[in-house]
Amino acid sequence: MSKTNLTRRGVLKSGAVAGAGVALPTIFTASSAAAYTNEPTGGTVTLGFNVPQTGPYADEGADELRAYELAVEHLNGGGDGGMMNTFSSKALKGNGILGKKVEYVTGDTQTKSDAARASAKSMIEKDGAIMITGGSSSGVAVAVQGLCQEAGVIFMAGLTHSNDTTGKDKKANGFRHFFNGYMSAAALAPVLKNLYGTDRKAYHLTADYTWGWTQQESIAAATEAMGWETVNNVLTPLAATDFSSYIAPVLNSGADVLVLNHYGGNMVNSLTNAVQFGLRNKQVNGKNFEIVVPLFSRLMARGAGENIKGIVGSTNWHWSLQDEGSKAFVKSFGTKYGFPPSQAAHTCYVQTLLYADACERAGSFNPCAVGEALEGFEFDGMGNGPTLYRADDHQCFKDVLVVKGKENPTSEFDLLEVVEVTPAAQVTYAPDHPMFAGGSLGTCNPGA
C-alpha cells in the first residue's frame, strides 16, 4: 500500500477518537450510537481534502488545496465571503456549517488510486471526516467514490473528466460538478469543423486509464460524425514523461491532426515533444498540421509555454469570465494568493460550498439528507451560469468553454482565450446515453 501523506489541520472532533464509523462488514469500524458515519457531536465538523500533492497532476492539486482553504475561510465567516455573496442559494451564513466550525484534514492521492483510497480511508476512520472531496484524476475519483459509498460519507468529486465517474461507476453518495469527456467533445466538434473543415485524418495519443479512454471515445465519435477519420489511437502510460517514441510514428501515419488526450504534466510533455518533432510546421494532405487538446487548463498552458499558442481545447471555467460569481471568486482568491485561480481551484471551491449549502438546506449532515438536497438542485452565481445537479446521475449540467492558447498573452496568467461559451443544452445528454451505460446509482448509504 502506498504511504499516505496526511496533514492535520486544527483539533479533530472527539467523535473521531471515539471511533464513530460505519456498520459495514468491511475495513471500517462501527459505532451503534451514531445515526450515520462520523456524526458530529461537538462544535466542529471535519472535511477531508484529498488532492495530488505529488505526481503528474501535482500543480492542479496545489491549486485545489488553496481553493479548499479559501472555502473553509469563507464558510467560517472569514475573508470577503467570495461566491457566498453571489450564490443564488442564501442558506450559508458564514457561521460554519449548521453552526459548527469547519475544520479539515488533507491527504496526498499521489495520482494513484490505491494511495487515494488509503488516504481517504484514514481521513474517515482516524480523523472523523464527514465528507471527502478532491483529486485531479478520474481513476482516483472512481476509486475514492466507491470507498465513500461503502463508508457512508458524501464524495464531492474534484477534477474528474471521465464519462465513467457519473456513468458506469456512478454512486448514490458521489456528486460531480466538473464536466466530462462527452461534454468536451460536444462543445469542441462544431468549433473544430469551422476551423479545420470536415476532411481530416486524426491520430490520437491517449492516457491509458478511465479518463483517457472515455475522452478519446467521445472526441473520436464527435469528429467522425462530422467526417473526420481516426487513423490510429495509441495508449500511453500515465507515468510517462517522454513521449518522443509515441510522436515519431505520427509523422508517417498520413494524419494531419494530432489529438492529445493527455492532462497535466503528460500534456505539457507530449505537446512539447510534438513541437520538437516539427509537427506544428508541417503540411500533410495539403493542409496545415494541427494539434488538438480536448481538455486543458491555465496551469497546463503555463507549463507548455509558447507551444500552447493557437491550440484549441475545452475547459470547465476560466478566471477571465465576467459574471458576478467568477469576479467574486477571482477577487477573493487573488487577494489571498496573489494570482488568479485555475479551473481545478474553481470546481473544488464550488463543490465545498455546494456541500455546505446542501447540509444547511437539509438541516442535517446525514449523507442521505445531503444527497436529497443536492439531487435536482438548480443554482446560479457560481461562475458557470444556471446549473442543474441532475438527480439521475449526480452530474452537473452547465455551459462549457471552448478555449485556445493566446497568440499574444499579456501576462503569465493571461494564456487562454475563450473562443465560445457552449450552452448547457448543447452538451446535455440522456441519462441512458450509451457512453454512460452500465452501473446504477444504487441507494444512499448513511453508514453507521
Side-chain angles (χ1 to χ4, degrees):
M1 182 69 69
S2 301
K3 181 181 178 184
T4 60
N5 174 22
L6 215 60
T7 308
R8 186 177 295 243
R9 302 295 178 99
V11 180
L12 294 171
K13 303 196 306 302
S14 58
V17 178
V22 298
L24 286 171
T26 66
I27 49 180
F28 297 96
T29 55
S31 168
S32 58
Y36 50 89
T37 300
N38 292 337
E39 180 180 2
T41 54
T44 63
V45 60
T46 301
L47 308 182
F49 301 148
N50 207 20
V51 305
Q53 298 180 45
T54 56
Y57 297 168
D59 281 353
E60 311 282 337
D63 226 34
E64 289 182 359
L65 203 50
R66 294 182 191 107
Y68 285 133
E69 291 173 353
L70 182 63
V72 169
E73 181 180 308
H74 289 165
L75 289 172
N76 286 332
D80 62 7
M83 280 186 171
M84 283 170 51
N85 300 315
T86 60
F87 188 13
S88 55
S89 173
K90 300 303 176 188
L92 298 172
K93 304 183 175 60
N95 63 343
I97 306 176
L98 293 175
K100 296 182 185 291
K101 182 181 178 183
V102 180
E103 295 180 344
Y104 65 93
V105 288
T106 72
D108 182 9
T109 67
Q110 303 173 37
T111 318
K112 297 176 182 175
S113 297
D114 286 349
R117 281 179 65 96
S119 175
K121 177 177 180 288
S122 180
M123 287 191 275
I124 295 166
E125 284 198 322
K126 297 179 181 177
D127 302 318
I130 198 164
M131 181 270 275
I132 301 293
T133 179
S136 290
S137 154
S138 291
V140 161
V142 167
V144 174
Q145 181 166 262
L147 178 96
C148 289
Q149 180 70 33
E150 296 166 12
V153 299
I154 290 288
F155 175 62
M156 300 295 282
L159 197 158
T160 167
H161 192 245
S162 170
N163 293 340
D164 291 348
T165 308
T166 46
K168 72 178 182 63
D169 294 311
K170 59 184 174 285
K171 301 292 182 190
N173 285 39
F175 291 84
R176 170 163 60 180
H177 170 263
F178 205 68
F179 69 148
N180 58 45
Y182 175 92
M183 294 174 174
S184 282
L188 277 171
V191 175
L192 295 177
K193 180 179 179 179
N194 290 338
L195 287 173
Y196 307 137
T198 57
D199 181 22
R200 284 284 184 167
K201 298 181 187 300
Y203 193 110
H204 293 248
L205 293 182
T206 300
D208 190 12
Y209 74 106
T210 177
W211 169 66
W213 305 332
T214 67
Q215 174 57 74
Q216 193 278 332
E217 178 189 28
S218 298
I219 194 73
T223 52
E224 286 169 9
M226 66 188 196
W228 287 25
E229 176 188 345
T230 301
V231 173
N232 202 356
N233 176 40
V234 178
L235 300 178
T236 62
L238 185 57
T241 54
D242 184 348
F243 293 86
S244 301
S245 62
Y246 296 100
I247 299 291
V250 179
L251 297 167
N252 301 313
S253 66
D256 46 43
V257 177
L258 173 62
V259 181
L260 294 175
N261 299 298
H262 288 159
Y263 195 74
N266 282 176
M267 174 274 193
V268 171
N269 292 328
S270 62
L271 177 60
T272 300
N273 291 153
V275 171
Q276 288 168 343
F277 271 80
L279 288 182
R280 296 205 72 181
N281 300 318
K282 283 179 69 68
Q283 276 223 334
V284 180
N285 305 325
K287 308 177 184 74
N288 291 335
F289 194 97
E290 304 292 351
I291 300 175
V292 175
V293 177
L295 174 67
F296 66 79
S297 69
R298 178 183 60 76
L299 296 176
M300 289 156 59
R302 184 184 66 191
E306 292 278 315
N307 299 333
I308 201 70
K309 289 184 177 183
I311 288 185
V312 175
S314 67
T315 192
N316 191 64
W317 177 86
H318 192 252
W319 68 269
S320 66
L321 292 173
Q322 291 301 300
D323 62 279
E324 293 306 310
S326 293
K327 288 194 290 185
F329 179 52
V330 170
K331 179 175 180 288
S332 294
F333 192 98
T335 299
K336 187 172 178 69
Y337 299 112
F339 50 84
S342 64
Q343 66 169 352
H346 171 256
T347 203
C348 289
Y349 176 92
V350 170
Q351 281 282 69
T352 308
L353 263 56
L354 286 171
Y355 171 79
D357 173 78
C359 291
E360 292 284 352
R361 289 186 293 109
S364 173
F365 291 103
N366 186 311
C368 295
V370 174
E372 282 186 25
L374 286 169
E375 287 183 340
F377 181 49
E378 296 183 40
F379 60 92
D380 203 346
M382 302 290 261
N384 297 107
T387 304
L388 166 68
Y389 237 133
R390 190 162 70 179
D392 301 88
D393 49 13
H394 297 181
Q395 171 68 54
C396 270
F397 288 85
K398 55 198 185 315
D399 296 347
V400 170
L401 304 181
V402 176
V403 293
K404 71 173 180 178
K406 270 196 171 181
E407 295 291 348
N408 298 297
T410 57
S411 75
E412 63 176 309
F413 307 111
D414 179 39
L415 303 175
L416 301 181
E417 172 187 347
V418 177
V419 175
E420 185 170 300
V421 179
T422 307
Q426 187 178 316
V427 301
T428 297
Y429 51 87
D432 61 351
H433 187 284
M435 287 187 186
F436 297 83
S440 67
L441 277 178
T443 56
C444 168
N445 177 24

